[in-house]
Amino acid sequence: MDVLLSIKPKFAEAIIDGRKRYEFRKSKFANKDINRVYIYATSPIKKIIGIFKISNIIEESPSALWDLLKDHAGISEEEFFNYFGNKGTGFAIEIKSVEKFENPIDPKTLIPNFVPPQSFHYIKIQSK
């Protein structure tokens, strides 16, 4: 199983260029068997710009996540805590093996009736 993550363009680019080694989420994937994560850069790009594999998923309080990972978060402290708000638990997806697509993909060519997910969407895409 693969997953498509909606990520703001500035953070998607930070993942691609290696400045952001963790993607933070308020909830975890119910499916534990994720092979690949497709990076969907949201508006104005609206394309799948790359792919990565998950090394680990860390579950902690937002404060603990920030203390542990701030040097590789690729996000400001203010943006980080604004994102989590008053959540007691957060998740950090450790990113490995990032691949940037030479030609970003219009998701509508892969997923019929594509609607950008608020957070993530499970997908099955055939490898080429």
Side-chain angles (χ1 to χ4, degrees), residues 23-28 57-60 65 84 89-93:
E23 174 60 17
F24 300 100
R25 294 288 152 157
K26 295 175 191 174
S27 61
K28 63 182 173 181
I57 298 178
I58 302 165
E59 179 177 352
E60 282 289 350
L65 287 176
F84 280 110
T89 303
F91 302 89
I93 301 168

mmCIF file of all heavy atoms in Angstrom, residues 23-28 57-60 65 84 89-93:
data_model
loop_
_atom_site.group_PDB
_atom_site.id
_atom_site.type_symbol
_atom_site.label_atom_id
_atom_site.label_comp_id
_atom_site.label_asym_id
_atom_site.label_seq_id
_atom_site.Cartn_x
_atom_site.Cartn_y
_atom_site.Cartn_z
ATOM 1 N N GLU A 23 8.261 14.602 8.495
ATOM 2 C CA GLU A 23 6.964 15.182 8.158
ATOM 3 C C GLU A 23 6.072 14.954 9.365
ATOM 4 O O GLU A 23 5.934 13.828 9.848
ATOM 5 C CB GLU A 23 6.384 14.530 6.905
ATOM 6 C CG GLU A 23 4.990 14.968 6.550
ATOM 7 C CD GLU A 23 4.843 16.464 6.282
ATOM 8 O OE1 GLU A 23 5.840 17.170 6.042
ATOM 9 O OE2 GLU A 23 3.686 16.930 6.326
ATOM 10 N N PHE A 24 5.481 16.025 9.858
ATOM 11 C CA PHE A 24 4.692 15.961 11.082
ATOM 12 C C PHE A 24 3.207 15.830 10.755
ATOM 13 O O PHE A 24 2.708 16.481 9.846
ATOM 14 C CB PHE A 24 4.952 17.203 11.934
ATOM 15 C CG PHE A 24 6.402 17.316 12.322
ATOM 16 C CD1 PHE A 24 7.251 18.166 11.637
ATOM 17 C CD2 PHE A 24 6.926 16.532 13.340
ATOM 18 C CE1 PHE A 24 8.599 18.245 11.966
ATOM 19 C CE2 PHE A 24 8.260 16.598 13.679
ATOM 20 C CZ PHE A 24 9.101 17.459 12.992
ATOM 21 N N ARG A 25 2.540 15.000 11.546
ATOM 22 C CA ARG A 25 1.119 14.760 11.361
ATOM 23 C C ARG A 25 0.423 14.680 12.716
ATOM 24 O O ARG A 25 1.013 14.283 13.711
ATOM 25 C CB ARG A 25 0.886 13.441 10.601
ATOM 26 C CG ARG A 25 1.405 13.486 9.176
ATOM 27 C CD ARG A 25 0.523 14.359 8.324
ATOM 28 N NE ARG A 25 1.246 14.956 7.223
ATOM 29 C CZ ARG A 25 0.675 15.391 6.118
ATOM 30 N NH1 ARG A 25 -0.624 15.286 5.958
ATOM 31 N NH2 ARG A 25 1.387 15.959 5.178
ATOM 32 N N LYS A 26 -0.867 15.027 12.697
ATOM 33 C CA LYS A 26 -1.688 14.964 13.915
ATOM 34 C C LYS A 26 -2.245 13.565 14.142
ATOM 35 O O LYS A 26 -2.686 13.251 15.244
ATOM 36 C CB LYS A 26 -2.844 15.964 13.817
ATOM 37 C CG LYS A 26 -2.391 17.394 13.769
ATOM 38 C CD LYS A 26 -3.577 18.314 13.557
ATOM 39 C CE LYS A 26 -3.131 19.717 13.249
ATOM 40 N NZ LYS A 26 -4.257 20.584 12.904
ATOM 41 N N SER A 27 -2.273 12.754 13.101
ATOM 42 C CA SER A 27 -2.772 11.384 13.239
ATOM 43 C C SER A 27 -1.837 10.448 12.478
ATOM 44 O O SER A 27 -1.115 10.871 11.581
ATOM 45 C CB SER A 27 -4.197 11.263 12.704
ATOM 46 O OG SER A 27 -4.252 11.597 11.342
ATOM 47 N N LYS A 28 -1.885 9.179 12.862
ATOM 48 C CA LYS A 28 -1.023 8.205 12.199
ATOM 49 C C LYS A 28 -1.827 7.394 11.203
ATOM 50 O O LYS A 28 -3.057 7.397 11.222
ATOM 51 C CB LYS A 28 -0.340 7.305 13.228
ATOM 52 C CG LYS A 28 -1.278 6.453 14.048
ATOM 53 C CD LYS A 28 -0.492 5.639 15.058
ATOM 54 C CE LYS A 28 -1.442 4.910 16.002
ATOM 55 N NZ LYS A 28 -0.713 4.140 16.986
ATOM 56 N N ILE A 57 8.263 5.992 12.400
ATOM 57 C CA ILE A 57 7.251 6.962 12.809
ATOM 58 C C ILE A 57 7.342 7.098 14.322
ATOM 59 O O ILE A 57 7.246 6.104 15.047
ATOM 60 C CB ILE A 57 5.822 6.554 12.378
ATOM 61 C CG1 ILE A 57 5.739 6.482 10.844
ATOM 62 C CG2 ILE A 57 4.795 7.553 12.928
ATOM 63 C CD1 ILE A 57 4.396 6.041 10.301
ATOM 64 N N ILE A 58 7.570 8.322 14.761
ATOM 65 C CA ILE A 58 7.738 8.605 16.186
ATOM 66 C C ILE A 58 6.455 9.225 16.716
ATOM 67 O O ILE A 58 5.937 10.183 16.131
ATOM 68 C CB ILE A 58 8.922 9.569 16.404
ATOM 69 C CG1 ILE A 58 10.206 8.974 15.828
ATOM 70 C CG2 ILE A 58 9.082 9.907 17.886
ATOM 71 C CD1 ILE A 58 11.339 9.977 15.680
ATOM 72 N N GLU A 59 5.965 8.685 17.823
ATOM 73 C CA GLU A 59 4.762 9.203 18.475
ATOM 74 C C GLU A 59 5.171 9.804 19.813
ATOM 75 O O GLU A 59 5.733 9.109 20.661
ATOM 76 C CB GLU A 59 3.755 8.072 18.691
ATOM 77 C CG GLU A 59 2.485 8.504 19.386
ATOM 78 C CD GLU A 59 1.476 7.380 19.534
ATOM 79 O OE1 GLU A 59 1.682 6.286 18.976
ATOM 80 O OE2 GLU A 59 0.461 7.601 20.222
ATOM 81 N N GLU A 60 4.896 11.092 19.995
ATOM 82 C CA GLU A 60 5.260 11.810 21.221
ATOM 83 C C GLU A 60 4.360 13.028 21.366
ATOM 84 O O GLU A 60 3.599 13.362 20.457
ATOM 85 C CB GLU A 60 6.720 12.301 21.150
ATOM 86 C CG GLU A 60 7.768 11.261 21.409
ATOM 87 C CD GLU A 60 7.837 10.807 22.857
ATOM 88 O OE1 GLU A 60 7.205 11.422 23.742
ATOM 89 O OE2 GLU A 60 8.515 9.792 23.102
ATOM 90 N N LEU A 65 8.476 16.074 20.518
ATOM 91 C CA LEU A 65 8.878 15.974 19.116
ATOM 92 C C LEU A 65 9.767 17.146 18.729
ATOM 93 O O LEU A 65 10.796 16.966 18.080
ATOM 94 C CB LEU A 65 7.656 15.918 18.194
ATOM 95 C CG LEU A 65 6.848 14.637 18.169
ATOM 96 C CD1 LEU A 65 5.626 14.795 17.281
ATOM 97 C CD2 LEU A 65 7.697 13.459 17.713
ATOM 98 N N PHE A 84 0.140 21.961 15.460
ATOM 99 C CA PHE A 84 -0.354 20.997 16.444
ATOM 100 C C PHE A 84 -1.402 21.584 17.384
ATOM 101 O O PHE A 84 -2.190 20.838 17.953
ATOM 102 C CB PHE A 84 0.799 20.384 17.247
ATOM 103 C CG PHE A 84 1.504 19.292 16.497
ATOM 104 C CD1 PHE A 84 2.783 19.481 16.019
ATOM 105 C CD2 PHE A 84 0.881 18.079 16.245
ATOM 106 C CE1 PHE A 84 3.432 18.480 15.319
ATOM 107 C CE2 PHE A 84 1.523 17.066 15.546
ATOM 108 C CZ PHE A 84 2.805 17.274 15.078
ATOM 109 N N THR A 89 -0.804 14.621 21.414
ATOM 110 C CA THR A 89 0.094 13.674 20.756
ATOM 111 C C THR A 89 0.304 14.084 19.310
ATOM 112 O O THR A 89 -0.621 14.556 18.648
ATOM 113 C CB THR A 89 -0.514 12.248 20.780
ATOM 114 O OG1 THR A 89 -0.767 11.885 22.133
ATOM 115 C CG2 THR A 89 0.416 11.228 20.166
ATOM 116 N N GLY A 90 1.525 13.886 18.837
ATOM 117 C CA GLY A 90 1.845 14.152 17.446
ATOM 118 C C GLY A 90 2.685 13.012 16.895
ATOM 119 O O GLY A 90 3.186 12.167 17.640
ATOM 120 N N PHE A 91 2.830 13.010 15.591
ATOM 121 C CA PHE A 91 3.574 11.953 14.908
ATOM 122 C C PHE A 91 4.587 12.583 13.965
ATOM 123 O O PHE A 91 4.288 13.558 13.272
ATOM 124 C CB PHE A 91 2.610 11.058 14.126
ATOM 125 C CG PHE A 91 1.571 10.439 15.014
ATOM 126 C CD1 PHE A 91 0.372 11.098 15.267
ATOM 127 C CD2 PHE A 91 1.812 9.233 15.642
ATOM 128 C CE1 PHE A 91 -0.574 10.548 16.119
ATOM 129 C CE2 PHE A 91 0.870 8.681 16.500
ATOM 130 C CZ PHE A 91 -0.327 9.336 16.737
ATOM 131 N N ALA A 92 5.784 12.013 13.965
ATOM 132 C CA ALA A 92 6.850 12.464 13.076
ATOM 133 C C ALA A 92 7.223 11.305 12.164
ATOM 134 O O ALA A 92 7.657 10.249 12.639
ATOM 135 C CB ALA A 92 8.055 12.921 13.880
ATOM 136 N N ILE A 93 7.031 11.497 10.876
ATOM 137 C CA ILE A 93 7.382 10.487 9.886
ATOM 138 C C ILE A 93 8.819 10.757 9.464
ATOM 139 O O ILE A 93 9.118 11.810 8.896
ATOM 140 C CB ILE A 93 6.448 10.569 8.661
ATOM 141 C CG1 ILE A 93 4.995 10.366 9.086
ATOM 142 C CG2 ILE A 93 6.868 9.555 7.602
ATOM 143 C CD1 ILE A 93 3.976 10.720 8.013
#
